[in-house]
Amino acid sequence: MSAGIINVAGFKLTTFSGLNKKVSPRLLPEDVAQDTQNVFLDSGRIEGLKTDNNHSSEPSSHPASHIGSTTRTIFRATSSNWLTFTEDVDIIRSPIKEDSFNRIYFTGSGNFPKYGGQSNLISGSGPYPAASFRLGLPTPGAITSVSVDNSTAASGAATNSRAYIYTEITTFGEEGPPSVVNSTQIVDAANGATITLALPAASSGNLSISKRRIYRTDVNGVFRFVKDVSGTSAGNTTEAVLDDLLGEEIESADNLAPPDDVSGDHPDGPMLGITAMPNGITAGFSGNTLLFSEAFLPHSYPLANQLTTKEDIVAIASIASGLLVTTKGKPLMASGTDPSAIAMVEIDANLPCTNKRSLVDMGEYAIYASPDGLVLASNSGIQLITEQILTRDQWQSEYYPTNVEAYEYEGKYIAFTYDGSNNSTKKGFIFDPRGGKNAFVNLDFYATAGFNDREEDRLYLVIDGVLKDFASNATRRTYSWKSKVFYSNRPISPGVAKVSADSYSSLTFKLFADGSLKHTQTVTNANIFRLPGGYQAKSFEIQLEGTDTINEVCVYESPQEIT
């Protein structure tokens, strides 16, 4: 049998593959489908995709108690407690070694990046997060006044000019940038003099500030640690530290907070897309600015660690070769181990990302939706991986790339999409980059949120406002699989058919001739069944529906031809 031409009076299918819409149905390989839905094809047979279990057996703090049709993001914070959001939120765990606070960082919720310790986020009966804080600290107000009492200095002590600054410290030990030095308050003081500093009130807002840290210049003009001052209220503090007892040099001079909702400072809006990279670095973006934190300081994004792109950034993902940066134009790859020396290279491919939520970290590579189809980016480069399955027009009209949202599960890219307004167009699909002819399968359901629990090797989805443990039930979804068009050089009228299956509890066979449905058969056993006559045709298709696993299908003119 070649190019779908029937050289005998019928056909037999012993393997079954995924769909291909690009190639004409008549020219498809024998086992490739015109259309298929809810099918698991890894074994070469037709098996229904497993159904889901409702995941609501945990306490009231579980998201099943707080999920609805508007839920867009879920994240498993502990074994029994989840974070839920109605916005598109990116979430990472703390990159800090042995973080006693078990901090979680997230962007996209509200008007600024946020974070919190486990005890802040998980408190009460939910929904969670119960409380969180603004990520990063602003530049604090200048020291109000500095006064000098040289009487406490030793006789003959050296006198030098000195300046003072201070930083703010959170309850988590995160240090912000220093206050601005007021030149009118640079003072001359003897070594050992008592200095009185008038501090303003600490910065306001949801910042969790617990204390201020005082620094002063040494004889070389380097700011060094003097003391910590507990509290946040305005007031005076004194110090008389000798020059040779000053502490370490200030390390937070560039500890800038990530972009937030202050439009005068950040016209492109708050940082989005927070992503964990190797070596304790976190990354995010705002407009066309790509930001990297200091290593193991996810609250600090110095200007020296920022890069810009020609087009606005849509989404980022950390893969084996570096940080994939997708934009409204060409993608880029950023790599390096020092956040202040990251190199970024533009990939010469006109494959913009159409939806932030379509970009999925698949491990060594990432996949995202473009106007032309799905794109795979890896160490080897960038590739349009649906090019042989769907035309650009089919991808645009049937899969709505601007609305594709996806998740990784067992090496597969599981996506959901719709036209943006008509709920009847909501659907999903599975793409397996390793699948060959089995790569693409449609799904008849839609999820608004998902979370891949890599520790438990489970994918959780929110479907119709209910949290589901994806494909965890032994029962099977109802599938459909429509064959290619088989063509006969002479008109024939198939008389018999046979379907070999593991069981026959739910199995329907349909025969189409010259594009018209000719017969529908409920198959209840492995016996040959007769097909209606009274016509002749040259082209034939079959469609199989049900939940039973199918091993083989035969369609012939007479029973003697079935082997």
Side-chain angles (χ1 to χ4, degrees):
M1 210 177 290
S2 132
I5 297 175
I6 303 172
N7 294 319
V8 293
F11 56 90
K12 177 194 288 189
L13 294 175
T14 57
T15 59
F16 303 87
S17 300
L19 69 83
N20 188 308
K21 291 179 177 288
K22 182 175 183 177
V23 177
S24 168
R26 178 174 165 177
L27 299 178
L28 289 171
E30 290 183 9
D31 58 352
V32 172
Q34 293 184 59
D35 198 8
T36 183
Q37 187 169 271
N38 298 344
V39 178
F40 182 78
L41 297 166
D42 286 13
S43 67
R45 308 183 298 171
I46 294 180
E47 299 178 73
L49 189 67
K50 288 183 178 180
T51 58
D52 315 320
N53 283 311
N54 288 355
H55 198 61
S56 58
S57 59
E58 300 188 47
S60 60
S61 56
H62 190 276
S65 304
H66 308 292
I67 271 179
S69 59
T70 60
T71 301
R72 296 198 67 203
T73 304
I74 57 174
F75 181 85
R76 194 166 201 166
T78 71
S79 61
S80 58
N81 298 297
W82 294 61
L83 310 183
T84 64
F85 303 87
T86 57
E87 309 113 316
D88 171 18
V89 179
D90 292 288
I91 308 166
I92 64 168
R93 297 188 185 279
S94 173
I96 300 168
K97 180 181 178 181
E98 297 179 350
D99 182 3
S100 61
F101 299 104
N102 293 313
R103 277 166 282 190
I104 290 174
Y105 299 80
F106 51 101
T107 58
S109 175
N111 297 321
F112 45 83
K114 300 177 182 178
Y115 77 109
Q118 183 174 306
S119 62
N120 311 116
L121 302 170
I122 310 299
S123 178
S125 59
Y128 302 138
S132 60
F133 305 102
R134 183 186 288 261
L135 179 59
L137 293 169
T139 299
I143 295 173
T144 306
S145 65
V146 182
S147 59
V148 180
D149 179 3
N150 283 319
S151 66
T152 59
S155 176
T159 298
N160 293 289
S161 294
R162 62 175 68 168
Y164 286 85
I165 57 174
Y166 73 98
T167 61
E168 296 171 324
I169 312 290
T170 69
T171 55
F172 301 94
E174 297 172 335
E175 186 172 10
S179 59
V180 176
V181 177
N182 189 331
S183 60
T184 62
Q185 295 174 1
I186 298 174
V187 296
D188 292 329
N191 187 17
T194 298
I195 309 298
T196 300
L197 307 172
L199 299 178
S203 299
S204 60
N206 190 23
L207 298 170
S208 192
I209 296 170
S210 63
K211 61 185 178 181
R212 271 75 68 81
R213 182 162 292 167
I214 310 298
Y215 295 89
R216 85 172 196 226
T217 52
D218 62 14
V219 294
N220 297 313
V222 176
F223 281 103
R224 295 189 177 277
F225 172 75
V226 175
K227 62 182 289 191
D228 284 340
V229 179
S230 297
T232 59
S233 300
N236 293 340
T237 187
T238 60
E239 72 90 7
V241 177
L242 296 174
D243 289 344
D244 59 356
L245 295 181
L246 289 172
E248 295 293 323
E249 180 180 348
I250 185 171
E251 295 182 346
S252 66
D254 297 321
N255 279 6
L256 300 182
D260 56 18
D261 55 344
V262 180
S263 59
D265 295 332
H266 308 292
D268 289 323
M271 184 179 81
L272 301 173
I274 192 167
T275 300
M277 296 178 64
N279 303 313
I281 301 170
T282 60
F285 63 90
S286 173
N288 70 334
T289 302
L290 181 64
L291 306 106
F292 298 96
S293 76
E294 291 290 88
F296 304 105
L297 297 177
H299 66 285
S300 172
Y301 293 83
L303 288 174
N305 296 7
Q306 299 180 14
L307 301 171
T308 57
T309 59
K310 289 191 293 187
E311 303 285 347
D312 281 352
I313 298 169
V314 177
I316 59 177
S318 180
I319 60 176
S321 54
L323 185 74
L324 175 66
V325 182
T326 66
T327 73
K328 294 180 178 179
K330 294 180 179 180
L332 305 99
M333 191 68 70
S335 59
T337 57
D338 181 346
S340 65
I342 299 290
M344 188 162 63
V345 178
E346 183 179 79
I347 301 170
D348 190 16
N350 291 312
L351 294 169
C353 181
T354 54
N355 188 346
K356 175 174 169 291
R357 286 168 68 95
S358 75
L359 178 61
V360 177
D361 173 10
M362 304 289 290
E364 292 187 355
Y365 54 89
I367 295 176
Y368 67 89
S370 80
D372 297 326
L374 290 181
V375 177
L376 185 149
S378 69
N379 289 343
S380 303
I382 201 159
Q383 179 185 2
L384 187 64
I385 50 177
T386 51
E387 187 174 22
Q388 301 303 317
I389 298 172
L390 300 164
T391 66
R392 184 184 189 279
D393 287 345
Q394 289 167 337
W395 172 248
Q396 290 272 344
S397 64
E398 299 182 40
Y399 295 97
Y400 319 111
T402 57
N403 292 310
V404 170
E405 303 179 2
Y407 312 92
E408 184 273 336
Y409 179 68
E410 299 293 343
K412 296 179 173 69
Y413 182 89
I414 301 181
F416 303 94
T417 187
Y418 78 119
D419 71 356
S421 59
N422 185 354
N423 287 338
S424 67
T425 64
K426 288 185 174 179
K427 61 182 177 181
F429 63 86
I430 297 177
F431 181 83
D432 186 347
R434 310 154 302 180
K437 291 189 294 183
N438 297 334
F440 205 102
V441 171
N442 286 326
L443 303 172
D444 69 353
F445 57 95
Y446 179 86
T448 60
F451 176 76
N452 188 326
D453 190 328
R454 300 187 186 280
E455 183 176 351
E456 291 194 355
D457 195 24
R458 291 181 176 181
L459 175 64
Y460 295 97
L461 297 174
V462 177
I463 301 173
D464 296 326
V466 178
L467 187 68
K468 304 279 189 176
D469 187 348
F470 175 67
S472 60
N473 197 304
T475 61
R476 302 282 177 168
R477 293 182 184 275
T478 299
Y479 60 75
S480 67
W481 188 93
K482 189 172 185 179
S483 75
K484 62 163 290 159
V485 174
F486 292 92
Y487 184 78
S488 173
N489 284 325
R490 63 177 177 85
I492 63 172
S493 179
V496 292
K498 177 183 176 181
V499 180
S500 172
D502 284 0
S503 58
Y504 297 90
S505 60
S506 173
L507 179 53
T508 300
F509 168 96
K510 293 181 178 180
L511 177 68
F512 297 81
D514 288 345
S516 299
L517 178 63
K518 292 296 183 181
H519 182 63
T520 299
Q521 176 83 25
T522 299
V523 183
T524 59
N525 54 51
N527 296 336
I528 296 172
F529 55 89
R530 293 202 171 273
L531 301 173
Y535 72 94
Q536 286 192 323
K538 286 189 173 183
S539 66
F540 300 90
E541 307 153 76
I542 62 169
Q543 184 164 314
L544 302 163
E545 301 170 354
T547 59
D548 298 309
T549 298
I550 297 175
N551 303 299
E552 182 181 284
V553 179
C554 301
V555 178
Y556 286 98
E557 281 191 297
S558 67
Q560 291 77 18
E561 294 170 302
I562 294 180
T563 58

